[in-house]
């Protein structure tokens, strides 16, 4: 594990959302913008936050202040659904969900039987997250326990807070990628006991999706959740119409897709369901009643032609929502680009996504979806010090556009429309600048 810098002081322009909200219209009242602010971190946690004028007297004697006068500092981005083994197959052409899995995903994931291969991709994956300003992620691994080991090892080296788990899949997949109900249970149990709560690592029970698990395997997943109630559940739900129809043929005794998971005890406050594009009314009610969360993945939903997620309905139904890049059906690790797509998905439904609501979903709202809003998501004193320094002028076009920005909301909106990894000037994890953009990477 990298050493933790005891005290870090950062000065600059800060933007965050102070509290979770029940309705999108309440977000604007929770926006906090400090034009000239100071953040002091000690042993990975936020010790003091406020204006530079007030904060100078809080500075320890002799400490060097890291000053970002032209940039914008926001909480670290939170990715609530991403597949680390699919990193190398981003941008695979021409299929919808089920065909895409068979054509591209499964052949790629077979390679993760090799521990060295797992380690190499895990290192690349974690570095890519940091280069894009993502400090926390809920991650799919593969069916191989060694894929989980490699990812948690890479995260631990950087003090990152990651949630991950071994895929459970005992049917409708290549033999080299299937386990059994028994091996899924025992492998997951061993991984939970080794990694959950170790450092900043957390574990997620991870059935790929209902069609690739037998009832017997889902029963074992539910048993794990009963035995370890503090761990997460991470899976897919109602992404594609053909997928939904398939689930209904495989589980005719259940009332619908979500009811399959609910029947086996896999819904709850730490259950995150990716996509949820085509939920039925009773499924929305179940999501709300069980305090389950949705990972909204606009980029992959568009790429695979899955549909348009009804974000406004999620607010109306009081269902928690986080933002997911869904690499590799998603085409970017970058949450700014993901928000760009999220805005367009709402526009196509006659709805709006404001800049501040977008920031909420990528930070505090994502933390809430992961039941981590007590630890992450804004600059509240006592929280873990994960944040991102954003270069607003990474390109000539951005510089021109930002010179015309009317206020901070316009500034952030322009950034999410035009921004990408070039805008990440630095990423701080647990109070330490773990990624700093090299001068050779800057495009001004």
């Amino acid at each position: 594990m990298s050493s933790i810098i005891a005290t870090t002081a950062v000065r600059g322009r800060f933007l965050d959302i102070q509290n979770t909200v029940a309705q999108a219209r309440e977000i604007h009242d929770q926006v906090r913008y400090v034009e000239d602010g100071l953040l002091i971190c000690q042993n990975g946690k936020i010790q003091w936050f406020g204006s530079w004028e007030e904060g100078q007297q809080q500075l320890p004697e002799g400490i060097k202040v890291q000053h970002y006068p032209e940039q914008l500092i926001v909480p670290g981005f939170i990715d609530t659904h991403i597949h680390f083994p699919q990193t190398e197959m981003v941008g695979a052409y021409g299929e919808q969900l089920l065909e895409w899995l068979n054509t591209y995903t499964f052949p790629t994931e077979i390679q993760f039987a090799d521990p060295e291969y797992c380690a190499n991709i895990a290192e690349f994956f974690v570095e890519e997250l940091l280069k894009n300003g993502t400090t926390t992620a809920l991650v799919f691994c593969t069916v191989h326990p060694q894929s989980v080991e490699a990812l948690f090892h890479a995260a631990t080296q950087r003090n990152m807070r990651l949630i991950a788990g071994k895929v459970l899949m005992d049917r409708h997949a290549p033999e080299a990628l299937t386990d059994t109900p028994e091996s899924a249970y025992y492998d997951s149990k061993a991984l939970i006991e080794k990694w959950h709560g170790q450092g900043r690592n957390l574990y997620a029970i991870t059935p790929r999706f209902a069609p690739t698990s037998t009832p017997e395997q889902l029963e074992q997943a539910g048993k794990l959740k009963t035995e370890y109630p503090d761990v997460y559940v991470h899976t897919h739900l109602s992404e594609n119409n053909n997928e939904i129809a398939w689930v209904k043929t495989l589980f005719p005794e259940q009332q619908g897709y979500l009811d399959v998971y609910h029947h086996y005890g896999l819904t709850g406050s730490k259950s995150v369901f990716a996509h949820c594009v085509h939920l039925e009314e009773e499924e929305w009610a179940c999501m709300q009643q069980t305090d389950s969360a949705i990972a909204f993945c606009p980029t992959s939903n568009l790429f695979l032609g899955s549909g348009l997620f009804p974000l406004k309905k999620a607010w109306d139904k009081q269902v928690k929502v986080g933002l997911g890049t869904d690499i590799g059906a998603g085409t970017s690790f970058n949450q700014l680009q993901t928000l760009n797509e999220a805005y367009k998905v709402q526009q196509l439904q006659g709805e709006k996504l404001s800049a501040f609501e977008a920031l909420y979903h990528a930070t505090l709202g994502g933390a809430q979806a992961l039941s981590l809003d007590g630890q992450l998501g804004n600059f509240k004193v006592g929280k873990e010090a994960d944040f991102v320094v954003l270069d607003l002028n990474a390109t000539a076009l951005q510089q021109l556009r930002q010179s015309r920005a009317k206020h901070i909301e316009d500034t952030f909106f322009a950034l999410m429309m035009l921004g990408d990894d070039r805008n990440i000037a630095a990423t701080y994890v647990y109070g330490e600048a773990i990624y700093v953009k090299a001068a050779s990477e800057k495009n001004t």
Side-chain angles (χ1 to χ4, degrees):
M1 182 182 291
S2 63
S3 61
I4 297 174
I5 296 176
T7 306
T8 304
V10 178
R11 180 184 180 184
R13 292 190 287 168
F14 291 84
L15 177 67
D16 73 343
I17 312 296
Q18 295 184 77
N19 294 291
T20 57
V21 298
Q23 295 293 337
R25 62 179 176 270
E26 299 169 4
I27 292 172
H28 199 281
D29 294 335
Q30 296 298 329
V31 172
R32 173 169 51 180
Y33 176 54
V34 183
E35 183 73 38
D36 186 10
L38 176 66
L39 182 73
I40 303 174
C41 316
Q42 189 166 40
N43 296 323
K45 303 288 183 68
I46 297 171
Q47 183 189 45
W48 193 91
F49 176 68
S51 71
W52 169 253
E53 185 178 350
E54 294 175 350
Q56 294 177 65
Q57 60 191 11
Q58 304 290 332
L59 287 168
E61 187 175 348
I63 191 169
K64 182 180 178 182
V65 178
Q66 299 164 32
H67 192 195
Y68 299 98
E70 303 300 324
Q71 291 83 358
L72 180 67
I73 304 170
V74 301
F77 295 135
I78 296 172
D79 192 334
T80 60
H81 180 66
I82 186 169
H83 296 251
F84 110 77
Q86 295 177 17
T87 301
E88 66 196 86
M89 50 164 286
V90 171
Y93 172 74
E95 304 289 355
Q96 293 202 346
L97 174 64
L98 300 180
E99 297 79 11
W100 181 84
L101 286 171
N102 288 309
T103 305
Y104 301 114
T105 305
F106 292 155
T108 300
E109 292 191 1
I110 285 171
Q111 300 170 96
F112 286 78
D114 177 0
E116 185 177 352
Y117 195 86
C118 294
N120 290 337
I121 298 297
E123 286 289 316
F124 184 94
F125 173 82
V126 168
E127 285 298 312
E128 203 66 21
L129 289 177
L130 295 169
K131 283 170 60 179
N132 283 278
T134 297
T135 53
T136 290
L138 175 58
V139 188
F140 256 71
C141 298
T142 68
V143 73
H144 312 98
Q146 55 266 38
S147 69
V148 185
E149 298 273 1
L151 184 64
F152 277 141
H153 179 74
T156 299
Q157 292 299 109
R158 296 159 176 85
N159 289 312
M160 289 181 75
R161 183 171 283 290
L162 287 192
I163 311 169
K166 181 198 111 63
V167 166
L168 314 183
M169 185 162 61
D170 66 341
R171 64 173 173 176
H172 299 139
E175 186 177 349
L177 279 180
T178 54
D179 53 10
T180 67
E182 294 75 21
S183 69
Y185 172 81
Y186 287 109
D187 286 346
S188 298
K189 185 181 179 73
L191 290 164
I192 290 168
E193 294 188 350
K194 179 175 181 179
W195 290 105
H196 184 67
Q198 293 300 308
R200 300 181 77 196
N201 300 306
L202 297 167
Y203 196 85
I205 301 162
T206 312
R208 180 180 286 279
F209 65 158
T212 49
S213 287
T214 59
E216 292 76 18
Q217 185 170 73
L218 292 173
E219 190 174 327
Q220 293 298 311
K223 181 180 177 184
L224 283 167
K225 181 61 177 171
T226 300
E227 293 174 356
Y228 301 95
D230 191 45
V231 305
Y232 289 77
V233 173
H234 183 202
T235 190
H236 299 88
L237 174 65
S238 295
E239 179 178 2
N240 171 282
N241 285 317
N242 291 337
E243 165 207 17
I244 295 166
W246 191 19
V247 171
K248 288 180 178 178
T249 65
L250 293 171
F251 297 91
E253 67 280 7
Q254 304 308 329
Q255 295 175 6
Y257 197 162
L258 180 57
D259 191 48
V260 175
Y261 298 127
H262 186 63
H263 174 77
Y264 291 103
L266 299 175
T267 52
S269 62
K270 288 191 172 181
S271 295
V272 180
F273 297 96
H275 307 299
C276 299
V277 177
H278 307 287
L279 292 184
E280 297 173 3
E281 285 301 316
E282 57 269 25
E283 293 176 315
W284 281 107
C286 181
M287 293 289 291
Q288 192 276 329
Q289 290 161 12
T290 59
D291 197 31
S292 299
I294 293 171
F296 169 30
C297 306
T299 311
S300 68
N301 294 159
L302 294 172
F303 183 75
L304 294 178
S306 300
L308 307 176
F309 175 71
L311 181 58
K312 182 178 183 299
K313 189 166 189 175
W315 281 113
D316 292 344
K317 298 291 187 180
Q318 294 288 281
V319 175
K320 299 180 298 186
V321 174
L323 190 70
T325 61
D326 196 22
I327 293 290
T331 51
S332 174
F333 276 80
N334 193 271
Q335 290 288 38
L336 297 172
Q337 290 189 297
T338 306
L339 289 171
N340 177 318
E341 301 292 319
Y343 175 83
K344 295 167 186 173
V345 166
Q346 300 319 302
Q347 284 281 74
L348 287 168
Q349 298 173 85
E351 302 293 344
K352 295 286 193 293
L353 177 65
S354 74
F356 292 152
E357 183 186 344
L359 177 65
Y360 181 81
H361 291 306
T363 57
L364 186 60
Q368 183 188 31
L370 298 180
S371 297
L372 289 173
D373 47 306
Q375 292 105 293
L376 298 169
N378 58 19
F379 298 123
K380 184 176 180 181
V381 171
K383 287 194 175 184
E384 296 167 358
D386 294 346
F387 52 95
V388 185
V389 181
L390 299 170
D391 178 0
L392 300 173
N393 301 297
T395 69
L397 176 61
Q398 290 176 15
Q399 189 170 7
L400 178 63
R401 173 62 177 86
Q402 293 293 357
S403 72
R404 305 296 195 271
K406 300 177 180 66
H407 39 64
I408 188 61
E409 187 169 12
D410 191 26
T411 294
F412 191 79
F413 183 76
L415 179 68
M416 80 184 215
M417 288 296 104
L418 302 175
D420 54 35
D421 59 333
R422 293 172 293 182
N423 295 94
I424 310 303
T427 303
Y428 284 71
V429 170
Y430 222 51
E432 181 178 358
I434 200 163
Y435 167 77
V436 178
K437 186 178 181 181
S440 60
E441 296 178 82
K442 294 177 181 176
N443 297 289
T444 55

